[in-house]
Amino acid sequence: MKPLTYRIPVYAAAALSLLASASSCTKVNIDNPDLAEQYIGFTSSVGTKTPIESSEDMDEFAVWAAYYAEEILDSKPMEEVRVYRDANLWRYDELKLWKEGYWHFEAFYPLPSDLSATQAAMGKDALKINFTAPHDNSQITGIQGLTIDYYYGPSASHDLMTAKADRSYPAGGGNAVQFTFSHLLSRVSIAVKTATDDVTLKSLTFGGMSVLGAYNTFGYSGRWQLLTEIDELSDVQPGSFSDLNANIPSPLPSNGTSVDVLSDLLLIPQTPGDGTNGHAPITLKVTYAIGDAAPETKTIALPSSTPWESGHHYRYTLKLAMADVTLSVDMEPWYERNYTVIF
């Protein structure tokens, strides 16, 4: 195994962060402040809204570490360790000492334990993660790194993110490990507009997408596999979202102004309408009324020409008119695609 050429910049605040972390932790005593650099620390920039857009909003994430002596996997000193924000510092309990050799770190947001369930229930997100250290000769599957054995996301409200970092010690010194997190899910929003007077939106349902998938599993390195059923989750139904924005005006603006109806759904990347998700097609069903006329209901299938990709935002807009409903879609990057964290 050849050490990677990844370089991590030195941050002046990193040593202070480590010292504060170590000296404040009741499980580790450091008599000499110089020893602070001998303990592993981390840095991060990621936000934790739904969706994540600012590092200041992130409060915790999980870390795994693999240690290699003479380029051979020696141990995994960190397994889903909770890293948490304390004011402006990132801390974790039971601090780990650096050892000379090569280190590989991976991080995941949110904490897997927050979404784990012994028996996943409909309407409750569930997550199962494994970690296989790179170059682990005991593994024959070829899978490396973090694997999402399954993610069941019927609420579409969690922003899954991962990050990696490599370090050779002592060449890298005791500088904090830097993570750059990337989004694993797609962000989808639904809006309506009209240029017709006196149009009232009665209901809208967005459904048919797969909400159960696996990531970085055998045969799907670095990508998602959509699932129709797994042992822990039986009779999984397609996703369906219809909780409308409470601030939707009635009637709608007649000047063509778009009005958000369903915002920032965080969904497993897939291609609408291609049949591979087991629930095709993905549709928008809208009911609206013009003046005193009887309400009309229209159902439109999302085009397969716009597949959902990780870390991108898809904004579908329905134009409600006298005789028909048309659909347009805009794809744009996430507010910021990647976020950096130093710990």
Side-chain angles (χ1 to χ4, degrees), residues 149-229:
D149 294 341
Y150 65 79
Y151 172 60
Y152 173 53
S155 71
S157 60
H158 288 89
D159 192 350
L160 307 186
M161 300 190 302
T162 58
K164 300 178 182 180
D166 296 285
R167 174 70 62 83
S168 292
Y169 186 86
N175 301 323
V177 176
Q178 179 173 340
F179 286 124
T180 298
F181 283 81
S182 296
H183 302 278
L184 294 184
L185 298 177
S186 301
R187 180 178 174 186
V188 181
S189 300
I190 309 297
V192 297
K193 67 178 182 179
T194 184
T196 302
D197 289 331
D198 204 16
V199 176
T200 301
L201 178 66
K202 297 295 186 179
S203 66
L204 184 147
T205 299
F206 178 41
M209 69 289 295
S210 176
V211 292
L212 176 63
Y215 180 79
N216 196 38
T217 51
F218 181 68
Y220 290 83
S221 177
R223 59 194 178 99
W224 284 92
Q225 174 190 13
L226 301 177
L227 306 174
T228 54
E229 63 179 25

Coordinates of all heavy atoms in Angstrom, one line a residue, residues 149-229:
D149 N -25.5 -0.5 4.6 CA -26.2 -1.7 4.3 C -27.6 -1.5 3.9 O -28.2 -2.1 3.0 CB -26.1 -2.7 5.5 CG -24.7 -3.2 5.8 OD1 -23.9 -3.0 4.9 OD2 -24.4 -3.6 6.9
Y150 N -28.2 -0.5 4.6 CA -29.5 0.0 4.1 C -29.8 1.3 4.8 O -29.4 1.6 5.9 CB -30.7 -1.0 4.5 CG -31.0 -1.2 5.9 CD1 -31.7 -0.3 6.7 CD2 -30.5 -2.4 6.6 CE1 -31.9 -0.5 8.0 CE2 -30.8 -2.6 7.9 CZ -31.5 -1.6 8.6 OH -31.8 -1.8 10.0
Y151 N -30.5 2.2 4.0 CA -31.0 3.4 4.5 C -32.5 3.5 4.1 O -32.8 3.4 2.9 CB -30.3 4.6 3.9 CG -31.0 5.9 4.3 CD1 -31.1 6.3 5.6 CD2 -31.5 6.8 3.3 CE1 -31.7 7.5 6.0 CE2 -32.1 8.0 3.7 CZ -32.2 8.3 5.0 OH -32.9 9.5 5.3
Y152 N -33.3 3.6 5.1 CA -34.8 3.7 4.9 C -35.2 5.1 5.3 O -35.1 5.4 6.5 CB -35.5 2.6 5.7 CG -37.0 2.7 5.7 CD1 -37.7 2.7 4.5 CD2 -37.7 2.7 6.9 CE1 -39.1 2.8 4.5 CE2 -39.1 2.8 6.9 CZ -39.8 2.8 5.7 OH -41.1 2.9 5.7
G153 N -35.5 5.9 4.3 CA -35.8 7.3 4.6 C -37.2 7.8 4.3 O -37.3 8.7 3.4
P154 N -38.2 7.3 4.9 CA -39.6 7.7 4.5 C -39.9 9.1 4.9 O -40.8 9.7 4.3 CB -40.5 6.7 5.3 CG -39.7 6.3 6.5 CD -38.3 6.3 6.0
S155 N -39.1 9.7 5.8 CA -39.4 11.1 6.2 C -38.6 12.1 5.2 O -39.0 13.3 5.2 CB -39.0 11.4 7.6 OG -37.6 11.4 7.7
A156 N -37.6 11.6 4.5 CA -36.9 12.4 3.6 C -36.3 13.7 4.2 O -36.3 14.8 3.6 CB -37.7 12.8 2.3
S157 N -35.9 13.6 5.5 CA -35.5 14.8 6.2 C -34.1 14.7 6.8 O -33.7 15.6 7.6 CB -36.5 15.0 7.4 OG -36.6 13.9 8.3
H158 N -33.3 13.7 6.4 CA -32.0 13.6 6.9 C -31.0 13.8 5.8 O -31.1 13.2 4.7 CB -31.7 12.3 7.6 CG -32.4 12.2 9.0 ND1 -33.7 11.7 9.1 CD2 -32.0 12.5 10.2 CE1 -34.1 11.8 10.3 NE2 -33.1 12.2 11.0
D159 N -29.9 14.6 6.1 CA -28.9 14.8 5.1 C -27.7 13.9 5.4 O -26.9 14.2 6.3 CB -28.5 16.3 5.2 CG -27.7 16.8 4.0 OD1 -27.2 15.9 3.2 OD2 -27.4 18.0 3.9
L160 N -27.6 12.8 4.6 CA -26.5 11.9 4.8 C -25.2 12.4 4.1 O -25.2 12.8 3.0 CB -26.8 10.5 4.2 CG -28.1 9.9 4.7 CD1 -28.2 8.5 4.1 CD2 -28.3 9.9 6.2
M161 N -24.1 12.4 4.9 CA -22.8 12.9 4.3 C -21.7 12.0 4.8 O -21.7 11.5 5.9 CB -22.6 14.3 4.8 CG -23.7 15.3 4.3 SD -23.1 17.0 4.6 CE -22.9 17.0 6.4
T162 N -20.7 11.9 4.0 CA -19.5 11.2 4.3 C -18.2 12.0 4.0 O -18.3 13.0 3.2 CB -19.4 9.9 3.5 OG1 -19.4 10.2 2.1 CG2 -20.5 8.9 3.9
A163 N -17.1 11.6 4.6 CA -15.8 12.3 4.4 C -14.7 11.3 4.7 O -14.9 10.3 5.5 CB -15.7 13.5 5.3
K164 N -13.5 11.5 4.1 CA -12.3 10.7 4.3 C -11.1 11.6 4.5 O -11.1 12.7 4.0 CB -12.1 9.8 3.0 CG -13.2 8.8 2.7 CD -12.8 8.0 1.5 CE -14.0 7.1 1.1 NZ -13.6 6.3 -0.1
A165 N -10.1 11.0 5.2 CA -8.9 11.8 5.3 C -7.8 10.7 5.6 O -8.0 9.7 6.2 CB -8.9 12.8 6.5
D166 N -6.6 11.0 5.1 CA -5.4 10.1 5.3 C -4.3 10.9 6.0 O -4.1 12.1 5.7 CB -5.0 9.5 4.0 CG -6.0 8.7 3.4 OD1 -6.2 7.5 3.9 OD2 -6.7 9.1 2.4
R167 N -3.5 10.2 6.8 CA -2.4 10.9 7.5 C -1.3 9.9 7.7 O -1.5 8.8 8.1 CB -2.9 11.4 8.8 CG -1.9 12.0 9.8 CD -1.4 13.3 9.2 NE -2.5 14.3 9.1 CZ -2.9 15.0 10.2 NH1 -2.3 14.9 11.4 NH2 -3.9 15.9 10.0
S168 N 0.0 10.4 7.5 CA 1.1 9.6 7.9 C 1.7 10.3 9.2 O 1.9 11.6 9.2 CB 2.2 9.6 6.8 OG 1.8 8.8 5.7
Y169 N 2.0 9.6 10.2 CA 2.5 10.1 11.4 C 3.9 9.5 11.7 O 4.1 8.3 11.5 CB 1.6 9.8 12.6 CG 2.0 10.4 13.9 CD1 1.5 11.7 14.2 CD2 2.8 9.7 14.8 CE1 1.9 12.3 15.4 CE2 3.2 10.3 16.0 CZ 2.7 11.6 16.3 OH 3.1 12.2 17.4
P170 N 4.9 10.3 12.0 CA 4.8 11.7 12.5 C 4.9 12.8 11.4 O 5.0 14.0 11.7 CB 6.0 11.8 13.4 CG 7.0 10.9 12.8 CD 6.3 9.8 12.2
A171 N 5.0 12.4 10.1 CA 5.2 13.5 9.1 C 4.1 14.5 9.2 O 4.4 15.7 9.0 CB 5.2 12.8 7.7
G172 N 2.9 14.2 9.5 CA 1.8 15.1 9.6 C 1.8 15.8 11.0 O 0.9 16.7 11.2
G173 N 2.6 15.4 11.9 CA 2.6 16.0 13.2 C 1.3 15.8 13.9 O 0.6 14.8 13.6
G174 N 1.1 16.6 14.9 CA -0.2 16.4 15.7 C -1.3 17.4 15.2 O -2.2 17.6 15.9
N175 N -1.2 17.8 13.9 CA -2.2 18.7 13.4 C -3.6 18.0 13.3 O -3.6 16.8 13.1 CB -1.8 19.2 12.0 CG -0.5 20.0 12.0 OD1 -0.2 20.7 13.0 ND2 0.3 19.8 11.0
A176 N -4.6 18.8 13.5 CA -6.0 18.2 13.5 C -6.3 17.6 12.1 O -5.8 18.1 11.1 CB -7.0 19.3 13.8
V177 N -7.0 16.5 12.1 CA -7.5 15.9 10.9 C -8.6 16.7 10.3 O -9.5 17.1 10.9 CB -7.9 14.4 11.2 CG1 -8.5 13.8 9.9 CG2 -6.8 13.6 11.8
Q178 N -8.5 16.9 9.0 CA -9.4 17.7 8.3 C -10.3 16.8 7.4 O -9.9 16.0 6.6 CB -8.8 18.7 7.4 CG -9.7 19.6 6.6 CD -9.0 20.7 5.9 OE1 -7.9 21.1 6.2 NE2 -9.7 21.3 4.9
F179 N -11.7 17.0 7.6 CA -12.6 16.3 6.8 C -13.3 17.2 5.9 O -13.7 18.4 6.2 CB -13.7 15.6 7.7 CG -13.2 14.4 8.5 CD1 -13.4 14.4 9.8 CD2 -12.7 13.3 7.8 CE1 -12.9 13.3 10.6 CE2 -12.3 12.2 8.5 CZ -12.4 12.2 9.9
T180 N -13.6 16.8 4.6 CA -14.5 17.5 3.7 C -15.7 16.6 3.4 O -15.5 15.6 2.8 CB -13.8 17.9 2.4 OG1 -12.7 18.8 2.7 CG2 -14.7 18.6 1.5
F181 N -16.8 17.0 3.9 CA -18.0 16.2 3.8 C -18.7 16.5 2.5 O -18.8 17.6 2.0 CB -19.0 16.5 4.9 CG -18.6 15.9 6.2 CD1 -17.7 16.5 7.1 CD2 -19.2 14.7 6.7 CE1 -17.4 15.9 8.3 CE2 -18.9 14.2 7.9 CZ -18.0 14.8 8.7
S182 N -19.3 15.4 1.9 CA -20.1 15.5 0.7 C -21.4 14.8 0.9 O -21.5 13.8 1.6 CB -19.4 14.8 -0.5 OG -18.1 15.5 -0.8
H183 N -22.4 15.4 0.2 CA -23.8 14.9 0.4 C -24.0 13.6 -0.4 O -23.5 13.5 -1.6 CB -24.8 15.9 -0.2 CG -24.7 17.2 0.5 ND1 -25.3 17.5 1.7 CD2 -24.1 18.4 0.1 CE1 -25.1 18.7 2.0 NE2 -24.3 19.3 1.1
L184 N -24.7 12.6 0.2 CA -25.0 11.4 -0.5 C -26.3 11.4 -1.2 O -26.6 10.5 -2.0 CB -24.9 10.2 0.5 CG -23.5 9.9 1.0 CD1 -23.6 8.6 1.9 CD2 -22.4 9.7 0.0
L185 N -27.2 12.3 -0.7 CA -28.6 12.3 -1.2 C -28.8 13.4 -2.2 O -28.0 14.3 -2.4 CB -29.5 12.4 0.0 CG -29.5 11.3 1.0 CD1 -30.4 11.6 2.2 CD2 -29.8 9.9 0.4
S186 N -30.0 13.3 -2.8 CA -30.5 14.4 -3.7 C -31.5 15.3 -3.0 O -32.2 14.8 -2.2 CB -31.1 13.8 -5.0 OG -30.2 13.0 -5.7
R187 N -31.5 16.5 -3.3 CA -32.4 17.5 -2.7 C -33.5 17.8 -3.7 O -33.2 18.3 -4.8 CB -31.6 18.7 -2.3 CG -32.4 19.8 -1.6 CD -31.4 20.9 -1.2 NE -32.0 22.1 -0.7 CZ -31.3 23.2 -0.4 NH1 -30.0 23.3 -0.6 NH2 -31.9 24.3 0.1
V188 N -34.8 17.6 -3.4 CA -35.8 17.8 -4.3 C -36.9 18.7 -3.7 O -37.3 18.6 -2.6 CB -36.5 16.5 -4.7 CG1 -37.6 16.7 -5.7 CG2 -35.4 15.5 -5.3
S189 N -37.3 19.7 -4.5 CA -38.4 20.7 -4.1 C -39.4 20.8 -5.2 O -39.2 20.6 -6.3 CB -37.8 22.1 -3.8 OG -36.8 22.0 -2.8
I190 N -40.7 21.1 -4.7 CA -41.8 21.2 -5.6 C -42.4 22.6 -5.4 O -42.6 23.0 -4.3 CB -42.9 20.1 -5.3 CG1 -42.3 18.7 -5.3 CG2 -44.0 20.2 -6.4 CD1 -41.6 18.2 -6.6
A191 N -42.7 23.2 -6.6 CA -43.3 24.5 -6.5 C -44.5 24.6 -7.6 O -44.5 23.7 -8.5 CB -42.3 25.6 -6.9
V192 N -45.4 25.5 -7.4 CA -46.5 25.7 -8.4 C -46.5 27.2 -8.7 O -46.0 28.1 -8.0 CB -47.8 25.3 -7.8 CG1 -47.9 23.8 -7.5 CG2 -48.2 26.1 -6.6
K193 N -47.1 27.5 -9.9 CA -47.3 28.9 -10.4 C -48.4 28.9 -11.3 O -48.8 27.9 -11.9 CB -46.0 29.4 -11.0 CG -45.6 28.8 -12.3 CD -44.3 29.5 -12.8 CE -43.9 28.9 -14.2 NZ -42.7 29.6 -14.7
T194 N -48.9 30.1 -11.6 CA -50.0 30.2 -12.6 C -50.0 31.7 -13.1 O -49.6 32.6 -12.4 CB -51.4 29.9 -11.9 OG1 -52.4 30.0 -13.0 CG2 -51.7 30.8 -10.8
A195 N -50.5 31.8 -14.3 CA -50.7 33.2 -14.8 C -52.2 33.4 -15.0 O -52.6 34.4 -15.7 CB -50.0 33.3 -16.2
T196 N -53.0 32.6 -14.4 CA -54.5 32.7 -14.5 C -55.0 33.2 -13.2 O -54.5 32.9 -12.1 CB -55.1 31.3 -14.8 OG1 -54.5 30.8 -16.0 CG2 -56.6 31.3 -14.9
D197 N -56.1 34.0 -13.3 CA -56.7 34.6 -12.1 C -57.5 33.6 -11.3 O -58.0 32.6 -11.8 CB -57.6 35.8 -12.5 CG -56.9 37.0 -13.0 OD1 -55.7 37.2 -12.5 OD2 -57.4 37.7 -13.8
D198 N -57.5 33.7 -10.0 CA -58.4 33.0 -9.1 C -58.2 31.5 -9.1 O -59.1 30.7 -9.2 CB -59.9 33.3 -9.4 CG -60.8 33.1 -8.2 OD1 -60.2 33.0 -7.1 OD2 -62.0 33.0 -8.4
V199 N -56.9 31.1 -9.1 CA -56.6 29.7 -9.0 C -56.2 29.3 -7.6 O -55.4 29.9 -6.9 CB -55.4 29.3 -9.9 CG1 -55.0 27.9 -9.8 CG2 -55.7 29.7 -11.4
T200 N -56.9 28.2 -7.1 CA -56.6 27.8 -5.7 C -56.1 26.3 -5.7 O -56.7 25.5 -6.4 CB -57.9 27.8 -4.9 OG1 -58.5 29.1 -4.9 CG2 -57.7 27.3 -3.5
L201 N -55.0 26.1 -5.1 CA -54.4 24.8 -5.0 C -55.1 24.0 -3.9 O -55.2 24.5 -2.7 CB -52.9 24.9 -4.6 CG -52.2 23.6 -4.4 CD1 -52.1 22.8 -5.7 CD2 -50.7 23.8 -3.9
K202 N -55.7 22.9 -4.2 CA -56.4 22.1 -3.2 C -55.6 21.0 -2.6 O -55.6 20.8 -1.4 CB -57.6 21.4 -3.9 CG -58.7 22.4 -4.5 CD -59.3 23.2 -3.4 CE -60.4 24.1 -4.0 NZ -61.1 24.9 -2.9
S203 N -54.7 20.3 -3.4 CA -53.9 19.3 -2.8 C -52.8 19.0 -3.8 O -52.9 19.3 -5.0 CB -54.6 18.0 -2.5 OG -55.2 17.4 -3.7
L204 N -51.7 18.4 -3.3 CA -50.6 18.0 -4.2 C -49.9 16.8 -3.5 O -49.6 16.9 -2.3 CB -49.6 19.1 -4.4 CG -48.5 18.8 -5.4 CD1 -48.1 20.0 -6.2 CD2 -47.2 18.3 -4.7
T205 N -49.7 15.7 -4.3 CA -49.0 14.5 -3.7 C -47.9 14.2 -4.7 O -48.0 14.1 -5.9 CB -50.0 13.3 -3.6 OG1 -51.1 13.7 -2.7 CG2 -49.3 12.1 -3.1
F206 N -46.7 14.0 -4.0 CA -45.5 13.7 -4.8 C -45.1 12.3 -4.3 O -44.8 12.1 -3.1 CB -44.4 14.7 -4.4 CG -43.1 14.4 -5.0 CD1 -42.9 14.0 -6.3 CD2 -41.9 14.7 -4.3 CE1 -41.7 13.8 -6.9 CE2 -40.7 14.5 -4.8 CZ -40.5 14.0 -6.2
G207 N -45.1 11.3 -5.2 CA -44.9 9.9 -4.7 C -44.4 9.0 -5.8 O -44.3 9.4 -7.0
G208 N -44.1 7.8 -5.4 CA -43.6 6.7 -6.3 C -42.1 6.5 -6.2 O -41.7 5.5 -6.9
M209 N -41.4 7.3 -5.5 CA -39.9 7.1 -5.4 C -39.5 6.0 -4.4 O -40.2 5.8 -3.5 CB -39.2 8.4 -5.1 CG -39.4 8.9 -3.7 SD -41.1 9.5 -3.3 CE -41.2 10.9 -4.4
S210 N -38.3 5.4 -4.7 CA -37.8 4.5 -3.7 C -37.2 5.2 -2.5 O -36.5 6.2 -2.7 CB -36.7 3.6 -4.4 OG -36.2 2.7 -3.4
V211 N -37.6 4.8 -1.3 CA -37.0 5.4 -0.1 C -36.2 4.3 0.7 O -35.8 4.5 1.8 CB -38.1 5.9 0.8 CG1 -38.8 7.1 0.2 CG2 -39.2 4.8 1.2
L212 N -35.8 3.3 0.0 CA -34.9 2.2 0.6 C -33.8 1.9 -0.3 O -34.0 1.6 -1.5 CB -35.8 1.0 0.9 CG -35.0 -0.2 1.4 CD1 -34.4 0.1 2.8 CD2 -35.9 -1.5 1.5
G213 N -32.6 2.1 0.2 CA -31.4 1.8 -0.7 C -30.2 1.5 0.1 O -30.2 1.5 1.4
A214 N -29.2 1.0 -0.6 CA -27.9 0.7 0.0 C -26.8 1.4 -0.7 O -26.9 1.8 -1.9 CB -27.6 -0.8 -0.1
Y215 N -25.7 1.7 -0.1 CA -24.6 2.6 -0.7 C -23.2 1.9 -0.5 O -22.9 1.4 0.6 CB -24.6 4.0 0.0 CG -23.5 4.9 -0.6 CD1 -23.7 5.5 -1.9 CD2 -22.3 5.1 0.1 CE1 -22.8 6.3 -2.4 CE2 -21.4 5.9 -0.5 CZ -21.6 6.5 -1.7 OH -20.6 7.3 -2.2
N216 N -22.5 1.9 -1.6 CA -21.1 1.3 -1.6 C -21.0 -0.1 -1.1 O -20.1 -0.6 -0.5 CB -20.2 2.2 -0.6 CG -18.7 1.9 -0.8 OD1 -18.3 1.8 -2.0 ND2 -18.0 1.9 0.2
T217 N -22.0 -0.9 -1.6 CA -22.1 -2.3 -1.3 C -21.5 -3.1 -2.4 O -21.0 -2.5 -3.4 CB -23.5 -2.8 -1.0 OG1 -24.4 -2.3 -2.1 CG2 -24.1 -2.2 0.3
F218 N -21.4 -4.4 -2.3 CA -20.8 -5.3 -3.3 C -21.4 -5.0 -4.7 O -22.6 -5.1 -4.9 CB -20.9 -6.7 -2.9 CG -20.3 -7.7 -3.9 CD1 -18.9 -7.7 -4.1 CD2 -21.0 -8.5 -4.7 CE1 -18.3 -8.6 -5.0 CE2 -20.5 -9.4 -5.6 CZ -19.1 -9.4 -5.8
G219 N -20.6 -4.7 -5.7 CA -21.1 -4.4 -7.0 C -21.6 -3.0 -7.2 O -21.9 -2.6 -8.3
Y220 N -21.6 -2.2 -6.2 CA -22.1 -0.8 -6.2 C -21.1 0.1 -5.5 O -21.4 0.9 -4.7 CB -23.4 -0.7 -5.6 CG -24.5 -1.4 -6.4 CD1 -24.8 -2.7 -6.2 CD2 -25.3 -0.6 -7.3 CE1 -25.8 -3.4 -7.0 CE2 -26.3 -1.3 -8.0 CZ -26.5 -2.6 -7.9 OH -27.5 -3.2 -8.6
S221 N -19.8 0.0 -5.9 CA -18.8 0.8 -5.3 C -19.0 2.3 -5.5 O -19.1 2.8 -6.6 CB -17.4 0.4 -5.8 OG -16.4 1.3 -5.3
G222 N -19.1 3.1 -4.4 CA -19.3 4.5 -4.5 C -20.6 5.0 -5.0 O -20.8 6.1 -5.4
R223 N -21.6 4.1 -5.1 CA -22.9 4.5 -5.6 C -24.1 3.8 -4.9 O -23.9 2.8 -4.1 CB -23.0 4.3 -7.1 CG -22.8 2.8 -7.6 CD -22.5 2.8 -9.1 NE -22.3 1.4 -9.5 CZ -23.2 0.6 -10.1 NH1 -24.4 1.0 -10.3 NH2 -22.8 -0.6 -10.5
W224 N -25.3 4.2 -5.2 CA -26.5 3.7 -4.6 C -27.1 2.5 -5.3 O -27.0 2.4 -6.5 CB -27.6 4.8 -4.4 CG -27.3 5.8 -3.4 CD1 -26.6 7.0 -3.5 CD2 -27.7 5.7 -2.0 NE1 -26.6 7.6 -2.3 CE2 -27.2 6.8 -1.3 CE3 -28.4 4.7 -1.3 CZ2 -27.5 7.1 0.0 CZ3 -28.6 4.9 0.1 CH2 -28.1 6.1 0.7
Q225 N -27.6 1.6 -4.5 CA -28.4 0.5 -5.1 C -29.8 0.6 -4.5 O -29.9 0.7 -3.2 CB -27.8 -0.9 -4.7 CG -28.7 -2.1 -5.1 CD -28.2 -3.4 -4.5 OE1 -27.4 -3.4 -3.6 NE2 -28.7 -4.5 -4.9
L226 N -30.8 0.7 -5.3 CA -32.2 0.8 -4.8 C -32.7 -0.6 -4.5 O -32.5 -1.6 -5.2 CB -33.1 1.4 -5.8 CG -32.7 2.8 -6.3 CD1 -33.6 3.4 -7.3 CD2 -32.7 3.8 -5.1
L227 N -33.4 -0.7 -3.3 CA -33.9 -2.0 -2.8 C -35.4 -2.0 -2.8 O -36.1 -0.9 -2.6 CB -33.4 -2.2 -1.4 CG -31.8 -2.2 -1.3 CD1 -31.5 -2.3 0.2 CD2 -31.2 -3.3 -2.1
T228 N -36.0 -3.1 -3.0 CA -37.5 -3.2 -2.8 C -37.8 -3.9 -1.5 O -38.9 -3.6 -1.0 CB -38.1 -4.0 -4.0 OG1 -37.4 -5.3 -4.1 CG2 -37.9 -3.3 -5.3
E229 N -36.9 -4.7 -1.0 CA -37.2 -5.3 0.3 C -35.9 -5.9 0.9 O -35.0 -6.3 0.1 CB -38.2 -6.4 0.2 CG -37.8 -7.6 -0.6 CD -38.9 -8.7 -0.6 OE1 -40.1 -8.4 -0.4 OE2 -38.5 -9.8 -0.9

